[in-house]
Amino acid sequence: MRKESLCYCEVVADLKMSRTPTNPGRRFLGCRRYEIGEGCGFFRWIDPAIEKEHYKTLLAALIKKSDRCHYQRRQGRSKFRVAAIIIVVVVVLMLAIMLFV
């Protein structure tokens, strides 16, 4: 069983992935409370640094494209949900009209 890394707050550290151009795709551990402004500043790289600039550029581009695809997929899902709700409301209204006429 793997031992979880604790930050200085004594909270299990989150495993995250860097999306910066200087360290694209590089995984690190960070304080879970960092994003809400109460973090202890704990930070530790998990992956070694990428030395070749070519690979950094390629990884950064792939991460950016992946993020863009993920965003577009989420947008598509929300549009689908809105359309589904509208269809359900229209069907319910049509049924109600047919039953009471």
Side-chain angles (χ1 to χ4, degrees), residues 38-58:
E38 299 175 3
C40 62
F42 177 79
F43 178 89
R44 183 182 325 139
W45 288 114
I46 299 296
D47 295 329
I50 299 171
E51 300 299 326
K52 304 262 184 199
E53 250 349 273
H54 170 73
Y55 295 121
K56 285 184 185 181
T57 304
L58 180 62

Side-chain angles (χ1 to χ4, degrees), residues 81-97:
R81 286 183 186 136
V82 169
I85 290 169
I86 291 170
I87 290 169
V88 168
V89 168
V90 168
V91 168
V92 168
L93 287 173
M94 288 174 60
L95 288 172
I97 289 170

